[in-house]
Amino acid sequence: MDEAVGQILYSREVIEERVKELAAQVMSVYREKPLTVAVVLRGGFIFAADLVRHLGQQCDIVFVRASSYGDGRRPKGAATIELPADVTWKGRHVLVVEDIIDTGRSMKALVAAIAKKGAASVRVCAFLDKPARREVEIDVEFTGFAIEGSPFVVGYGLDYAGRHRNLPFIGTLKPAAKRKPAPKKTARKR
Ligand code: 5GP
Ligand code: MG
């Protein structure tokens, strides 16, 4: 196990079960409507890969980005959204698949941007949610698990400083791990 992880919150088995249930819920809503799954990079990639393989219907899969800034460099709540230029949104029912909703700022901006492109509907599916941290109102139609309080979690797509995304479970990060700098890359000698 990764030594940076404190407590395992959701095991691989628990995650697998929940993803299957979510896929069934999603299918019952769309029922063969023209569905586009918009995967939020990078954190959403593992959850989305599992989810779409349990969707028993056709769907397009596209990749988007959203980030919000809370560091004082920009007005609070300003978000940068990147949508691919070659995607047709008009008339599509869009399911945005994300790893975790925190303040909700990036997802709110992302949903608005996709709606503006003429999507027939936009719904959000987030594997994790931290409702206690919400700063703006958004509808999250499908949620894997609501986390109590606001622990920082890693694994199953979620990173800390680029690491731990590939853990097959979701766990808390030890406080000590947050302070440790990333290992330096050593140049390989020929
Ligand atoms: P917000 O909802 O505040 O706009 O931002 C949500 C994003 O913040 C998530 O997509 C994720 O990238 C990051 N985030 C929020 N909480 C956590 C967490 O507990 N762990 C990790 N790894 N990322 C988080
Ligand atoms: Mg994210």
Side-chain angles (χ1 to χ4, degrees):
M1 182 160 114
D2 193 317
E3 60 180 28
V5 173
Q7 191 194 350
I8 295 181
L9 296 184
Y10 307 104
S11 67
R12 181 201 285 260
E13 294 75 22
V14 164
I15 291 172
E16 272 173 17
E17 247 348 272
R18 190 67 189 123
V19 172
K20 276 186 220 163
E21 289 170 4
L22 282 174
Q25 269 184 43
V26 168
M27 273 194 286
S28 72
V29 168
Y30 291 102
R31 295 183 194 282
E32 304 306 324
K33 282 183 190 153
L35 174 64
T36 296
V37 173
V39 183
V40 185
L41 293 174
R42 296 176 210 169
F45 84 110
I46 293 182
F47 171 42
D50 284 346
L51 186 77
V52 294
R53 283 179 288 174
H54 289 294
L55 290 182
Q57 76 160 84
Q58 282 195 8
C59 61
D60 288 354
I61 301 173
V62 305
F63 299 91
V64 300
R65 282 179 189 273
S67 52
S68 60
Y69 297 87
D71 60 2
R73 280 186 301 157
R74 297 180 186 213
K76 205 171 179 214
T80 304
I81 302 301
E82 291 174 50
L83 303 181
D86 59 347
V87 170
T88 304
W89 301 95
K90 226 177 167 63
R92 305 288 302 181
H93 292 270
V94 179
L95 181 69
V96 183
V97 177
E98 171 66 302
D99 50 6
I100 188 166
I101 311 282
D102 190 45
T103 65
R105 289 184 184 279
S106 34
M107 186 54 76
K108 192 179 176 94
L110 183 56
V111 166
I114 295 172
K116 212 172 143 189
K117 297 276 183 192
S121 69
V122 187
R123 292 185 177 86
V124 176
C125 178
F127 193 66
L128 299 174
D129 190 4
K130 288 184 191 169
R133 296 259 310 160
R134 197 73 90 254
E135 291 177 9
V136 294
E137 211 179 297
I138 58 162
D139 275 342
V140 184
E141 182 110 0
F142 310 98
T143 307
F145 296 101
I147 301 183
E148 265 180 51
S150 46
F152 190 83
V153 296
V154 294
Y156 199 59
L158 291 145
D159 74 310
Y160 173 69
R163 287 183 282 173
H164 319 300
R165 286 192 204 276
N166 58 332
L167 293 173
F169 53 81
I170 293 166
T172 56
L173 196 65
K174 281 184 191 156
K178 278 198 169 183
R179 290 192 296 268
K180 224 174 4 183
K184 284 208 183 85
K185 278 189 192 143
T186 46
R188 239 205 290 172
K189 286 189 187 127
R190 291 175 155 249

